[in-house]
Amino acid sequence: MDKAASILIIDDEPQIRSAVRNALREVADHIGEAATGAEGLNAAAAERPELVVLDLGLPDSAGVDVCRELRRLLASPIIVLSARHSEDEKVLLLNAGADDYVTKPFSVLELAARARAQLRRARTAAPATPAPITLHGLTVDPVTRRVDRDGRQIHLTPIEWQILSTLVSAGGRTLTHQQIFDAVWSRQFGSPQQYLRVHITNLRRKIENDPASPRIVITEPGVGYRADVMR
């Protein structure tokens, strides 16, 4: 994969910025740095980086607020660095627009791999004419809304199609229960987990070879679901 033109690191700790810079030096031609949320937002607006690495523990603003502002400014992937492990926090960040999260202390190799994966997804997202995608023998055609396995069409309900299409369109990114609920039902009330649990079970019965060990629609415990399109 070609290097990104630029990546922006937003972190108030110089040693962390240095570690991230070293981890990503083979991923981007230019790596910018900011020590506060305000500096980071200004740099993002001016430089339009292809990827942002955002630390949550900033001195001037909450990391989740910076994440929301970055998402308003950019379509670029956002990877969050966090020393915390709460599932609620991961859900909050994904709902705020983050694409991935890495827990401190992090592996240099893992961070670089996650950055490359996010850049690859961003560069292949939203083609002019979406091509059919094959996942573990299942073919999903977003244009004809047809789902096939081994040449046999699988009939999905409109809700099941919307769930599968939403997950596949995310390109392997984990979506929270709320994000899927909003995309499929466009409602402000109801229990996303309760709604999804029933429909995901029914969907898996139709598309998975072994619904008890799903390989296409993967559960991220406490967070949401993702489609395994980036194997």
Side-chain angles (χ1 to χ4, degrees), residues 159-170:
I159 291 295
E160 290 164 355
W161 164 258
Q162 287 294 335
I163 292 172
L164 180 62
S165 175
T166 297
L167 292 173
V168 169
S169 298

Side-chain angles (χ1 to χ4, degrees), residues 112-186:
R114 286 178 179 268
R116 288 191 178 94
Q118 290 298 332
L119 288 166
R120 186 167 57 247
R121 289 168 184 159
R123 290 173 178 180
T124 58
T129 302
I133 296 173
T134 300
L135 312 87
H136 299 283
L138 187 81
T139 300
V140 180
D141 189 330
V143 175
T144 64
R145 299 167 65 96
R146 182 181 171 115
V147 179
D148 292 89
R149 180 183 291 286
D150 302 325
R152 179 178 59 85
Q153 184 174 3
I154 298 175
H155 295 281
L156 302 181
T157 67
I159 291 295
E160 290 164 355
W161 164 258
Q162 287 294 335
I163 292 172
L164 180 62
S165 175
T166 297
L167 292 173
V168 169
S169 298
R173 183 164 58 92
T174 297
L175 298 179
T176 66
H177 300 109
Q178 189 66 54
Q179 286 174 319
I180 303 170
F181 187 70
D182 291 345
V184 175
W185 281 276
S186 301

